[in-house]
Each structure stands twice: as C-alpha cells, then as structure tokens.
C-alpha cells in the first residue's frame, strides 16, 4: 500500500463548478499537508499548506484536513478554465523528513 | 527575480552516456532536492541535500549521482547505470532546517534516451 493515495482522474467539470480533490494517507506521523498545482510541462507550484485538522481558506481554494480519518481535501470554488492542471497532494512528518507526494489528479475545467 | 533555474529544458542522451542536469537557486535556501516524475507515479525522490557538502539518497538513487559544493547549485548526473532514464526531472529547494513544507520547484528538464 502506498503511503499516500490520490485518484489520478481525469476529472472534468463545467466552468463555475465546485471541485473536490482528495487524498488519503496511511502514515499517522504526517503533520504537514500541502497542495501543489502543476501545469503541463511545468514544475509544480505550492498552492496551500496546513498542519492542523480543519479548514484553511485562500481565495477560491479551501484545504481541509481530517487527521482522524487520514484524509485531506482541496476544494476549488467557481472553477475556471485556468484551473485546468494536475493537482498534487504532499505530506511531511516534520523535522528533517522528506516530503511524500501523491500521484496527482488531472483536472479539466470546461468553458 | 528570486527563483530556481533548471537547464537545459530538453536533453537527449545516447545509450551508455552520462549526462548532467543543472539546478541553480538564488533563494538562499539550505535544502535542495531532485525528483523524477513519470506518468502515473507522481514525484519520486532521487537525492536531497540539507546543507552544503552533504547529501542523502532518496527512494530511487541508483544510477544517479549529485554534488553540493555550493549552496546555490545542486547538479544531478544521470549515469549509464540508470536503466530507464527517460523521464521529467524536477529540482526543488526549501528553507531546510526542518522547514521543508514550502518547496519551490524549477521548470523541469525532460530527458530522453535515443
């Protein structure tokens, strides 16, 4: 079993829809949770990170962490065609430990 | 502008050749990383360095080598021992010192074996 599981998609939604992207994990030592966005043939860019259970909001993006269920989500409100990309979740246990990435979910927002 | 620069963007290698991928950052970050990205497999860690003159193997280090002689630079050599080197290679950096959550990535190098 992989430490981090993420549905690869692709996920296609109409413009303006609310998008939900999810990851599950098995390592209870993970404390820090990140979401990266990666456009085709580009490097990933950090969207959000959080270290506690609950919600964190940044504009149209909301990151949600449920440590008891080992489940994290990224919600995108009012999705735009420019949101079309691959979204990678990532997790770290802190200290000098390495970051573990999910495989990424490809999202397409259709105008 | 601060950032992380990878070169070249595209690289072609013949069977049996070693090639070196460049990664330079001007963010004053202590930690630097090399990842390999293949379709359906996400990012896999090749090597990482938390400080100058020190580096550790990641999950898939076989067939690769690195050096960290300067804080700004972390070149990756793909040796002929790497059996399946065709992939998208990503370099990243972070503050380090236990603060690795905010990693900044370069734009990647796509390596193809011909």
């Amino acid at each position: 079993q992989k430490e981090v599981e993420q549905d690869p998609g692709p996920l296609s939604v109409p413009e303006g829809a609310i998008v939900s992207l999810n990851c599950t994990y098995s390592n209870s030592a993970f404390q820090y949770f990140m979401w990266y966005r990666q456009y085709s043939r580009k490097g990933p860019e950090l969207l959000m990170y959080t270290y506690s259970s609950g919600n964190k909001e940044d504009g149209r993006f909301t990151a949600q962490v449920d440590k008891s269920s080992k489940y994290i989500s990224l919600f995108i409100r009012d999705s735009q065609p420019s949101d079309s990309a691959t979204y990678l979740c990532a997790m770290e246990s802190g200290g000098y430990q390495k970051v573990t990435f999910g495989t990424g979910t490809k999202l397409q927002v259709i105008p | 502008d601060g950032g992380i620069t990878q070169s070249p963007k595209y690289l072609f290698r013949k069977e049996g050749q070693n090639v070196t991928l460049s990664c330079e950052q001007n963010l004053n970050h202590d930690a630097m990383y090399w990842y390999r990205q293949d379709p359906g497999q996400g990012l896999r860690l090749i090597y990482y360095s938390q400080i100058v003159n020190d580096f550790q193997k990641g999950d898939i280090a076989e067939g690769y080598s690195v050096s960290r002689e300067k804080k700004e630079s972390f070149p990756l050599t793909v040796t002929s021992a790497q059996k399946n080197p065709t992939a998208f290679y990503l370099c990243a950096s972070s503050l380090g010192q236990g603060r690795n959550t905010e990693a900044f990535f370069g734009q990647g190098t796509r390596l193809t074996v011909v």
Side-chain angles (χ1 to χ4, degrees):
Chain A
Q1 183 189 9
K2 290 182 179 178
E3 278 191 300
V4 179
E5 298 278 358
Q6 185 174 12
D7 188 333
L11 178 63
S12 292
V13 301
E15 183 175 353
I18 296 175
V19 176
S20 173
L21 303 165
N22 311 297
C23 288
T24 58
Y25 62 96
S26 58
N27 187 347
S28 58
F30 286 141
Q31 298 182 44
Y32 299 92
F33 305 90
M34 290 77 77
W35 285 96
Y36 285 84
R37 177 176 62 195
Q38 184 177 24
Y39 291 112
S40 182
R41 298 188 179 87
K42 301 290 186 184
E45 57 178 325
L46 181 67
L47 277 177
M48 299 182 71
Y49 79 90
T50 184
Y51 57 87
S52 59
S53 284
N55 295 349
K56 181 178 181 180
E57 192 172 315
D58 184 1
R60 296 186 295 111
F61 298 92
T62 299
Q64 186 177 80
V65 174
D66 182 347
K67 289 187 178 180
S68 62
S69 300
K70 297 188 180 66
Y71 189 89
I72 69 169
S73 298
L74 178 71
F75 298 98
I76 307 174
R77 289 184 299 280
D78 187 25
S79 56
Q80 302 296 309
S82 59
D83 294 327
S84 298
T86 296
Y87 290 80
L88 300 153
C89 63
M91 307 178 189
E92 188 203 352
S93 56
Y96 290 88
Q97 301 304 310
K98 65 182 178 71
V99 175
T100 300
F101 285 83
T103 54
T105 299
K106 188 172 184 178
L107 171 67
Q108 184 178 17
V109 180
I110 301 168
Chain B
D1 288 334
I4 183 164
T5 302
Q6 289 186 243
S7 63
K9 190 172 182 179
Y10 298 97
L11 185 58
F12 296 88
R13 190 195 92 171
K14 291 183 180 179
E15 295 269 3
Q17 279 185 337
N18 293 354
V19 290
T20 298
L21 284 58
S22 171
C23 179
E24 303 276 335
Q25 55 100 358
N26 60 4
L27 299 166
N28 200 33
H29 283 169
D30 284 321
M32 296 187 74
Y33 313 83
W34 274 105
Y35 292 92
R36 170 179 171 144
Q37 189 174 34
D38 297 282
Q41 296 206 49
L43 273 66
R44 292 185 290 167
L45 183 64
I46 304 171
Y47 267 99
Y48 64 104
S49 168
Q50 295 283 0
I51 199 167
V52 175
N53 292 321
D54 187 46
F55 49 83
Q56 286 79 39
K57 292 182 179 180
D59 299 318
I60 55 165
E62 185 176 349
Y64 300 98
S65 66
V66 294
S67 63
R68 186 85 188 276
E69 298 176 0
K70 297 187 299 181
K71 187 175 186 178
E72 302 79 21
S73 179
F74 191 41
L76 173 75
T77 296
V78 184
T79 74
S80 57
Q82 171 47 237
K83 299 304 179 188
N84 186 21
T86 294
F88 190 47
Y89 290 87
L90 287 161
C91 180
S93 70
S94 68
L95 281 169
Q97 300 172 27
R99 296 174 59 187
N100 298 328
T101 51
E102 293 185 81
F104 291 81
F105 282 83
Q107 292 303 293
T109 293
R110 187 165 297 278
L111 173 64
T112 303
V113 173
V114 296

